[in-house]
Structure formats: structure tokens, C-alpha cells
Amino acid sequence: MPAAAALPFVLLAAAARAAQPAPAAAPEAGQPPAADAGPPATSARAPNGLPPVVMAIEVRSDVPLPASNQLAEVIEIEVGKPLDDTAVRHTLRNLVATGAASEVELYTSAEPAGVVAMIVVRPVVEVSEVRISGALGLPEADLKAAVPQRVAQPLAEESVVQGVYSLQNLYEESGYFNASVHVAVDTKPALRQAVVTYQVASGPRATVAAIDFDGHVAPLTPAALLERFKSRPGKPYARRAAEDEAERLQQWLVEKGYAAARVDKPRENVDRAANSVRLTYPISVGPLISLDVRGADAKKLKRKGLLPFLGAAGYDEALVQQALAKIKTYYQQQGHYKVKVEQSEQRSEAALHIVISIDPGAVYTLDAVDWRGNREIGSAQLVKLMATAPHSLIRPGSGRLVQEVLDADLENIRSYYGLQGYTEAKVGPAEVDERGHVLRLTVPIVEGRRQRLVKLELLGVEKLDVAKLRQSLPLKESGPFHPTLLDQTLGAIRNAYAEKGFMRAQVSAEQDWDRSHTLVDVVIRVLEGPQRVVDRVIVRGNRRTGEQVIRRALAVKHGEPIGQTKLYELESSLYRLGIFSRVDVDLTGSGLDTAERDLLVRVEEGKAKSLTYGAGYDTEHGPRALLGFSNNDLAGRAYSLRSDFRLASGDIRARVLLNQPNLGRYDVPLSTGLFFFDTKETSFRVQRWGARSEAVKVVSHRRYSLALDYRVVELRVNPGVALNSIERQNRPYRLSSLVPSLLLDHRDDPLVPSRGWSSLVQLQYSFPALGSSAEFLKLFYQQTQYVNLGAPGVLAGSVRLGGIEAFRSLGRGDPDVPATLPSSNIPIDERFFAGGSTTDRAYNLDLLGIRGQSLLQPAGSGSFSPVGGNGLLLANFDYRFPIAGPIGGTLFFDLGNIWADWRDIRLNGLKSGLGVGVRYNSPIGPLRAEIGWKLRRAHKPDEPGYVVFLSFGNPF
């Protein structure tokens, strides 16, 4: 390179410099001058006036820089291309945004055929550790949480200083009024790293000198109130604890009947010389409130939450009126439509006596709901909008006329008419016709004129698909018009543009009405503005986790449009890795550009490794021990390793599970597990061990999986014990299988679905390998469907079909199954079984089958035992309906059977059952109690006529 002096091309300095940065090293011979050597010069130009071609790029620094590939990703200047002004600006901006540099300078040196671009990087100082030392007084973890300066982040003077104030405030609130906090920054210039140390001297903690009350406390005494306090005079002071005392005292007063009592946060009088605090609590005890409920049980009303002014919220006039309304609604729900609820008060200076009189009246039944005046919208549609309904045996809660519910129904119908274009529609008031104890409801409707949209024109829409955009808009041509629909349409267009990165899109509308003001043309004008797209992805804060792991989880490409929802999705993607305690994904300032924005990703890594251990003893199993280890970020690749070892009474359980977020360079999660179980029973000992590796890919509503499974069960039976007395999962076998599956899931909720459908197809090919002699193909298919009926409940159905084909004999096979049956060549744990709470609820567990095929009678036994089969056909139909709150009921019909050979499946061989059940819908799934009766069992009197189950979860 010629020795000619290099001229500065562009200079960009970071806005925030590291505190007390180390001086830059003196330039070597041939290096560019320092930044203050002179003002920036304009770019050199080739003789033809075009930008010079970049012959080479040099990156210089006085300390080691991050991996070269990280810098290369943000440098937009390219060798062999002209030195473009935009590429230079982007390069400087990107290098600063990485957080690796506090200053970046670019110089050029002329060459015969172009220029050499020299990038001088003054690296930023990074915090390697935050220490808090001295006489702390408070837990170190709480102190570190209050400091904004984070490890692995650039050293920021503002954050370091703010940490001092944050710690001082924390000590002040905790009663350490004489605490002192000093900060020191130890910078290692050669490594560009810094250790931030906060030196703390907490001093003694202040005590509570006295507690006073400001207000009228009679008939109570200050001493009686003080007894409720935990923070007594002489105790250590903390502001949060003092404020909590006010809440506890107020709650105690309310419980004692002073429901109007109010205790505010205390005033503090700090005596720094004595290092003490005098607390004064503003208080108003108020009158002693008593309640007399006439015509009903007060305890029952309170238990049902109908007397809120007697609860934790305390007394309030508004709460009393709410209570009256709630009581009226409650009685109307029981059929007392004409219930009378009245309230009166008797006041004195020290007491308030409230009397609530309830006259339930007769019980009425709503027999019919009629409509009058609705011509354009049919009664069938209006009925769907009403919670009020006439009496029906299949609709719990129907037949009750509740004024509060009726008012909401009428308002709902008005809104519906409005959104259908009937902006002048009048609904109600409802007319109630009383005939004895039977009510008939009539709702009068005046529909009025309908406003319709004739033409919807979109002007200025260039960057979005107009046809797709129209489909998502609430306003449709030839459809109803309402101002709300127009506002929703404008909002939908703005959101559609924002999701594509057009953050400044302006959307407005013009309306053109006909003379009758019933037909309108709408013109929507759009000024799209610049589109915000991703330029570079810059990652900060990862010390242990590989940057490629983060980039792969983000899956963001250069030039991809970016909106606010996308930013939230990217944060969620990183949180799902389970290795970060904090994630912030944002866009850097636009600088000189408005289109391309750098995506700045700041992460804080959580604790990766943990050790779990424990020991115990019980009289049934004796001593037991547990040892577990986990690592959420194995090798910095976001691999999750879990292992545990359990020992109890000689039983051993050991497992190792490795979860990978990706399979090589493919975005396919992979889970691999190893297990070993050694269990001792009274008459046998069984060992299970094996491995399973499964790759899963979820795309929208589709879940693809492929598993490789190897399992071994070894059984040692005591002399004289028959093998058929051993449960099937403990029978010996060795199996190697390849298991692909596909799940299409369009259900609204996987735990308690109420609408939608799902399809599952699973294939298992077991092949002879690793000591396994079994070879078969197993196919299983399940289809579910859910139909939501609204208030009446849900119809649910399921069909399961399965078949197994053996390709070779197991030799001796299963000694309990005749060799003439095809199922004898399939390990018993792989055959199909049915009967039980999740298959056929009219039969006990596994006892659905065909005698002589899947149900066999051992010699000398009077009962049949299940051995499973190679063919399965099962259908289930449920009607699930609500009863009260989370309690619901079920009517079900199950039918199916198990065949020894799938070729023998026949519809006339199905067995059926009918049943009823009660279910409690808990937050984690339903708890079910069900009873099922067999149909057509006259020829098998030895079978029980019904079966009762108590189980958890849905049957399908």
C-alpha cells in the first residue's frame, strides 16, 4: 500500500462513551490520524466522477475484537464494489449499534485501481462483573436487582451512577437512614472490560420510636389498636412493613364490624440523631355497622357474595346498592321474578343499623319469548342473541326471567341491529304478560331504515394485496354500514400496514350518501409512507450462549418487514429457549435512514445449572433418596439436559433427557431420553431400560413427529408364580421401532375443547435389531369432532381405528395366547386394548373384547382375562352440558371392540354401552364421575351390568 497519508472519509462517534475510557493506542506508521486531527473530508472520487472501487477492507483496533464473522455481518462495504455513501453510513451505524465500539472511524487510502477502506474501532468497555461489598445489612440478591448496570452490557456512566441512587433509596426504605454507597469502576484497558464495585456501609437500622393515631378511634383505644401491630416500638423499621400495618389494621376493623373504617399510610417523623422513626397513622374508625336481613338467611347471602359491603372492601353506599341489585338478580334466577328488596337505615353517632327486607314472592316460569315488528332479521337469529330463554329440559337455567339479563339482551340486540345497518332501530322495552305463575315475554322492535355500503374504493394501496386486504375488512360492498364498522375498517387497514412495517401509514375515509341517506359510497385513501425493514441483527449480552443459537431462534432475514407484533413474537421465541432471564428486542434509531433499521437484541442469561437432592423415610417404603442435575444451556447451544436418580427400598429409577431446539441447521426440535427402572415386587422383579429420540415440527395446526424407540423389559419371576398373573406392562420383551405421526389440531382448547376437530395418524414399524426379533407394522387413526351448541352445551364425537400386521413369528410367542391367533406374534404391550374411562365406559379396564380372541379364559379359572388384539374399532359420542358454574353433566354412548386379527373387524361385532356422568371443570382439566350400562348383555350374565369410573381428563 502506498505510504501516502490517508484522508478521513466519515467520522461517527457513539453518543454515550464509556466512563473513564482507556486512552487509545498511538497510531502505528501508516495508520490514519486520530479523530481530532481535522474535520472530516468528503469522499474521494475517481477521475470519471464515480465513487472509487474498494480494493480491500482493513479493521484496526488497539485491543482484541469480537470474532471476525460477527463484525463481517454488519460491515456493508464490499470489496470490488464502489465505496457508496449509504454503505459507509450503514457500516458505521451498525458497528456502533453492536455495542462493541464506543467510536468508529473510517479512512481511505488511494490505490491505483481504487481505495483501501480502513475501519478504526475504539472498542466499548464491557462490564464483566458487578460487585456489592461491605456491611450490607440487606440480602445481596436484592441489592443487585436494584442496580440497572448489567453484566455483559456496555459500561454506561448513567447506569452506574443511577445504581448509587437506587441502592440509597432501597436502604432508605428499609430503615438504614445513615447508609452510604460509593462506586468504583476498575477498567482493564487491554481487555476493554470493567468491574463495577459498589462499596456499602449500611450502618445501624432505625427502630420504631412510637406509633400514634391521628383521628377518632372511640369506642376503641390506641392500646387495643396497637396490639394488632407486628411493628412495635423498639422493633426495626421498614417502610413497606409500616404501610402493610395500615392495611392489616383496616382489615381487622372491618372484620370487627367497623366496615366504614379507614386507615391510611403512616406519616414518618425521622429522628436521624436517634436513628428512629415516629409513625402516625391517620385513622377513622367510623360507626359499628350491623345488619338485619329479614326474609332470608344473612349467612347464606354472604356466603354467595351478595353482601359485598360486609367483606374486605368495607362499607360504602355504592356497595349497598350493588348488594340490593345482586340479591334481586339472585332471587330472579331462582324464579322469583317479582321479588322485592328494600333497605332502610338507623343511624347514631356510634352505630349504623342496616335493615334489608326481602319478599321473594311467587315462583314464575318463563314460557315463551315472542318478537313483534322484526321483518328483516328473523326470530331464529334474534333468539341466538338472547341469554333469556323459555323453559327447556335440555337448557339448564332456562325459564327464568332476570331483569338484569334481559336488559343486557336488549342492548345486545340493539348493537346487532346497528351493525347490520339499522342505526335507527328501537328495541324494547320488553312487555311481560303474566298468566298465573307463567310469564310470556314480548320484545317490540322498530327496525327503521337500513344503511348499506354500495361501493368501497381503496386508493393508494400499493404495497399490500388489495384482494386479501378487502377480505379482512369489516365493511363489505352490498353489506351494512355503521360508523363503528367504518372505524373498525380504518383500524384494520392501519394494523395491516403496521404489521408490514409501514408505521407512518395515514388512512382516511370519505363518505358519499344518496338523498335518502340509506346508500353510501366510501373512499378510503392511504398514504403508505416508508416501509420499515430489518437491516442487520445485532446481539448483546450473551456471554455463554452462542450467537448463532439466538439468530436461529429469531429467524429474521435482511429486508424483512418488521412491526410491533413481530417484535413481541421475537421476544417470545427467545424466552421459549428457557435460558434467558430477560429479553429486549427493539429497533435502533433510524439515523439518516427511515427504511432499514437494525434489530437490537439484548439478553440476560439466567442460571443454567442446578442440582437437586433429597432424602426421606416412610414406614411403607423405608429410606429413599433423590439426586438430580439440570443444565438449560448445555455447551452454549440452548440444549436442555435433565437427569435424575431415585432410590427407594432397592428400587432404582434413573432418567436422562436431552432437548435440542434444532436438529443441526434445521429448525426441528429433537428430544432424546434414556431410562433405567429396576423394580422389586413381592413375587417378581422387573427391569426396564431403553432410549427414545423424537423430532417434532409444528407448522400452524399441524404437528409432525418422527421417533426412534428402543425398549427392553426383563422379568424375573419367583418359583410357582404364573406369568399370566403379571400385568402386561411388566411382561418381558425387546422392541426396536420407528414411529412417524401426524396430528391436525383445529380444536379451540386442547384441555377442554368445545369446537373444532382433530385428526391423528400414527404408524409404528418395529424391526428386528439390537436383540429384538419382533417385526410388525401398526397403524392407528383417530378423528374427533366438537360442535358447540352455545348455552345447551357441546356435542363431541370420536372414532378410533387400528390394525397390526406381523411379518415374522416370535417363535414361542406369548404362552397365554394360542399360536393360531395372529396376536401371538405381537408383544402383549403393543396390542390394542379397550374398556375403561377413556375408551368404552360400559366395561372395566381392558375388558372389552371377543371371548376366545382378545379375551381368554385361563385353565381352571372362571373368568376371562384380556390379552389384547390386532384390530381396534371404537366410537364415542358425548353430550356435555353445563349444570351450575364449573359443574357439568355428560350423556354418552360408546361402542367398539377388539379383534385378534384386523381383517376380522365387523360392524355387527361391536359392543355398545350407554351412560351418564358429572364433571367438574378444573383449570387443568375435567374431573369426571361416570356410570355406564352395557346394552345387549343377556347372553353373558357373568358380566356386570354397569361400571362406575372416577377419572381425570377428557376421554378423547
Side-chain angles (χ1 to χ4, degrees), residues 582-602:
R582 180 178 177 182
V583 176
D584 291 316
V585 179
D586 207 347
L587 297 171
T588 60
S590 59
L592 301 175
D593 303 298
T594 57
E596 294 183 335
R597 304 280 292 276
D598 289 336
L599 188 69
L600 182 58
V601 181
R602 292 183 289 260

Side-chain angles (χ1 to χ4, degrees), residues 11 67 230 353 458 465 540 614 649 708 747:
L11 170 64
K230 296 180 180 178
H353 185 64
L458 301 177
D465 187 330
R540 292 181 182 174
S649 299
L708 182 62
R747 298 172 297 174

Side-chain angles (χ1 to χ4, degrees), residues 739-778:
V739 187
S741 67
L742 169 63
L743 172 65
L744 304 179
D745 194 347
H746 290 264
R747 298 172 297 174
D748 60 340
D749 188 327
L751 287 179
V752 188
S754 62
R755 58 169 54 87
W757 58 274
S758 69
S759 298
L760 172 65
V761 180
Q762 180 174 289
L763 191 66
Q764 177 183 354
Y765 173 59
S766 181
F767 51 91
L770 301 177
S772 171
S773 58
E775 185 177 10
F776 61 85
L777 189 65
K778 181 178 181 181

Side-chain angles (χ1 to χ4, degrees), residues 226-521:
L226 189 57
E227 289 181 358
R228 314 311 308 172
F229 279 57
K230 296 180 180 178
S231 300
R232 303 288 183 86
K235 295 288 187 180
Y237 166 78
R239 181 168 298 154
R240 174 61 63 85
E243 293 175 352
D244 290 344
E245 295 285 11
E247 295 182 9
R248 282 196 294 268
L249 180 58
Q250 179 171 308
Q251 180 61 36
W252 178 77
L253 289 170
V254 169
E255 292 173 355
K256 289 298 182 181
Y258 298 93
R262 180 178 178 85
V263 183
D264 294 330
K265 294 180 181 179
R267 298 192 299 269
E268 302 173 357
N269 185 7
V270 180
D271 185 346
R272 294 187 178 273
N275 199 27
S276 63
V277 182
R278 190 181 189 95
L279 300 176
T280 302
Y281 287 86
I283 186 171
S284 174
V285 173
L288 182 63
I289 298 177
S290 58
L291 174 67
D292 181 13
V293 177
R294 299 172 182 175
D297 184 354
K299 292 183 178 179
K300 180 179 179 180
L301 296 181
K302 185 177 181 180
R303 189 167 57 249
K304 291 184 174 295
L306 302 178
L307 301 174
F309 60 91
L310 294 181
Y315 175 82
D316 185 271
E317 291 286 352
L319 289 178
V320 175
Q321 297 305 313
Q322 290 180 18
L324 301 180
K326 286 185 175 182
I327 293 172
K328 181 178 180 180
T329 297
Y330 169 74
Y331 274 93
Q332 287 184 339
Q333 289 171 344
Q334 313 308 311
H336 301 277
Y337 175 65
K338 290 190 172 184
V339 60
K340 295 180 181 180
V341 183
E342 297 177 345
Q343 175 242 348
S344 61
E345 296 179 355
Q346 298 174 3
R347 288 181 177 269
S348 66
E349 183 177 350
L352 171 61
H353 185 64
I354 302 174
V355 178
I356 296 180
S357 301
I358 302 174
D359 181 8
V363 175
Y364 292 86
T365 300
L366 180 62
D367 184 59
V369 177
D370 298 328
W371 309 89
R372 186 174 70 238
N374 58 310
R375 294 188 177 90
E376 300 298 327
I377 298 180
S379 299
Q381 178 59 33
L382 295 177
V383 167
K384 296 179 182 179
L385 305 174
M386 295 274 289
T388 302
H391 177 67
S392 173
L393 292 177
I394 64 172
R395 188 169 182 175
S398 62
R400 304 306 187 195
L401 184 55
V402 180
Q403 191 63 45
E404 182 182 51
V405 177
L406 178 59
D407 292 342
D409 287 340
L410 298 183
E411 184 58 35
N412 189 33
I413 294 173
R414 291 188 194 100
S415 299
Y416 179 79
Y417 263 101
L419 294 178
Q420 298 306 309
Y422 297 93
T423 57
E424 302 173 353
K426 297 180 180 180
V427 180
E431 302 170 0
V432 180
D433 182 20
E434 180 181 347
R435 300 177 183 177
H437 291 168
V438 176
L439 303 178
R440 191 176 190 92
L441 183 69
T442 301
V443 181
I445 297 176
V446 179
E447 294 179 331
R449 299 179 302 173
R450 188 186 192 193
Q451 295 179 334
R452 290 191 302 108
L453 175 67
V454 178
K455 183 179 181 181
L456 177 62
E457 190 173 1
L458 301 177
L459 301 180
V461 180
E462 298 177 358
K463 301 298 178 62
L464 299 183
D465 187 330
V466 177
K468 186 177 180 180
L469 179 62
R470 283 181 177 272
Q471 292 177 357
S472 65
L473 300 181
L475 275 179
K476 306 290 185 182
E477 290 184 345
S478 301
F481 177 86
H482 190 275
T484 300
L485 294 175
L486 179 58
D487 291 341
Q488 293 174 351
T489 296
L490 298 180
I493 295 175
R494 293 189 186 101
N495 290 338
Y497 270 100
E499 292 306 309
K500 293 297 183 181
F502 294 91
M503 305 305 296
R504 300 180 183 176
Q506 301 180 28
V507 185
S508 59
E510 299 174 3
Q511 304 174 34
D512 183 14
W513 290 90
D514 68 346
R515 291 184 178 180
S516 64
H517 206 74
T518 57
L519 302 177
V520 64
D521 293 336

Side-chain angles (χ1 to χ4, degrees), residues 570-572 574-575 580-585 601-604:
L570 296 178
E571 288 185 354
S572 298
L574 293 181
Y575 274 121
F580 299 118
S581 59
R582 180 178 177 182
V583 176
D584 291 316
V585 179
V601 181
R602 292 183 289 260
V603 298
E604 289 185 21

Side-chain angles (χ1 to χ4, degrees), residues 875-906:
N876 308 92
F877 303 95
D878 279 15
Y879 169 48
R880 303 167 185 172
F881 54 89
I883 296 177
I887 306 298
T890 304
L891 298 176
F892 61 84
F893 176 69
D894 299 337
L895 72 162
N897 218 335
I898 299 293
W899 289 263
D901 191 341
W902 61 270
R903 299 174 183 82
D904 296 333
I905 294 178
R906 299 289 187 273

Side-chain angles (χ1 to χ4, degrees), residues 678-730:
D678 188 345
T679 305
K680 294 181 180 179
E681 299 291 347
T682 304
S683 57
F684 65 89
R685 178 176 181 177
V686 61
Q687 288 185 344
R688 300 185 187 87
W689 53 275
R692 180 181 177 89
S693 186
E694 183 177 20
V696 177
K697 180 66 175 178
V698 178
V699 181
S700 184
H701 296 281
R702 301 184 300 276
R703 181 185 185 274
Y704 304 90
S705 71
L706 178 63
L708 182 62
D709 187 85
Y710 179 70
R711 282 173 289 156
V712 176
V713 177
E714 295 181 345
L715 178 67
R716 299 176 184 176
V717 182
N718 294 344
V721 177
L723 184 62
N724 57 24
S725 66
I726 307 298
E727 295 179 348
R728 70 169 189 265
Q729 65 268 23
N730 295 324

